[in-house]
Amino acid sequence: MARSTALVTGGNSGIGLGIARRLAADGLKVVVTGRREDALTRAVTDIGEGATWIACDVSSKDSVARMAGEAVDRLGQIDVLVNNAGVMGTTRLDQPLSEIEPIWDEHFAVNVKGPLLVTHALAPHITAPGGRVIVLSSVVARTGGSVPGMLAYSASKAGATGLTLALARELAPRGITVNGVAPGMIEDTGMTGAFDEERKAKIRAVVPLGKPGLPQDIAAAVSWLAGDGGYVTGAIIPVNGGWVFG
């Protein structure tokens, strides 16, 4: 079936913007969400004709409910849902718990509860059969990160991976596929922009392809899952240059 509509959370920058660009180039009408209206405005200009935005905090059920209602009004149905919105902060055991706990809670609110809230709100409106749900995980769900300090991020992305598999079970009877994409080191994003050269060099040294990826590499995997990957569900596709095999 031809898919004509897509919603990308966190589609205003980095990997999310790369995904939104690719889906628009594939011919889909794209709605992007995010928390910053200025970034969203720039993003839809970048994506091009037909792209629109809706402000949304995916960690808030009220914000998600408003966004879902507006998205359905605009699109009618959701052919492709990409749960990309995420946060990444530093949490280490040598920090006081008073510092770790709020960061931990934010990571699970955005990276795990966020995809649940968005998918729950939009599930009745996802094309069935034939709809696609894609969740962004991370290589750190299996590695614990390239350096210490990834306690909250690694745990939350492992949670997102588990949620992806559970959603695949839930939605398979309706003919909707649910898969994850697990990026490795991806440059040109807000999350990796703060990495110093020493950290980047260490990552390059353990990546068999010897280089970081770019947002368009993740977008290509999402495009395939959103289109021809119709007999794939419950999979986590690693896009990491070989950093972690399998």
Side-chain angles (χ1 to χ4, degrees):
M1 61 166 283
R3 288 163 192 83
S4 59
T5 64
L7 187 143
V8 182
T9 69
N12 55 353
S13 64
I15 289 173
L17 179 56
I19 291 169
R21 284 195 199 110
R22 176 60 184 264
L23 294 179
D26 290 344
L28 281 72
K29 182 178 180 181
V30 177
V31 171
V32 295
T33 80
R35 289 188 282 194
R36 291 179 47 214
E37 293 188 7
D38 57 337
L40 287 163
T41 301
R42 289 193 298 270
V44 298
T45 300
D46 184 315
I47 296 163
E49 185 177 356
T52 60
W53 60 267
I54 303 171
C56 179
D57 175 357
V58 299
S59 68
S60 163
K61 63 182 180 181
D62 292 337
S63 182
V64 168
R66 287 192 295 271
M67 178 275 291
E70 190 169 342
V72 171
D73 286 344
R74 292 186 196 179
L75 301 177
Q77 64 182 21
I78 310 297
D79 294 325
V80 179
L81 168 61
V82 182
N83 285 297
N84 165 78
V87 295
M88 182 176 74
T90 299
T91 44
R92 303 182 314 272
L93 281 181
D94 60 5
Q95 291 176 276
L97 190 58
S98 59
E99 292 181 10
I100 294 175
E101 190 172 20
I103 300 171
W104 178 277
D105 289 347
E106 181 191 21
H107 278 59
F108 275 81
V110 175
N111 297 351
V112 186
K113 190 170 82 168
L116 172 64
L117 292 177
V118 172
T119 306
H120 185 275
L122 290 174
H125 309 286
I126 297 174
T127 305
R132 306 280 196 260
V133 178
I134 299 154
V135 180
L136 270 290
S137 181
S138 172
V139 67
V140 304
R142 295 179 60 192
T143 67
S146 58
V147 296
M150 294 286 102
L151 293 174
Y153 188 65
S154 298
S156 66
K157 285 301 185 179
T161 295
L163 175 64
T164 302
L165 305 183
L167 288 172
R169 293 279 184 196
E170 294 275 337
L171 292 174
R174 293 179 55 201
I176 298 169
T177 67
V178 185
N179 294 288
V181 175
M185 169 65 183
I186 305 298
E187 288 200 313
D188 294 343
T189 73
M191 289 187 176
T192 60
F195 289 6
D196 59 33
E197 285 305 314
E198 181 181 2
R199 182 172 180 180
K200 291 179 182 179
K202 287 179 179 178
I203 295 171
R204 285 194 293 269
V206 299
V207 173
L209 290 185
K211 62 179 183 179
L214 294 169
Q216 53 261 40
D217 296 313
I218 307 305
V222 170
S223 174
W224 179 75
L225 288 170
D228 291 338
Y231 196 57
V232 178
T233 197
I236 308 297
I237 308 297
V239 186
N240 59 48
W243 187 353
V244 175
F245 287 170

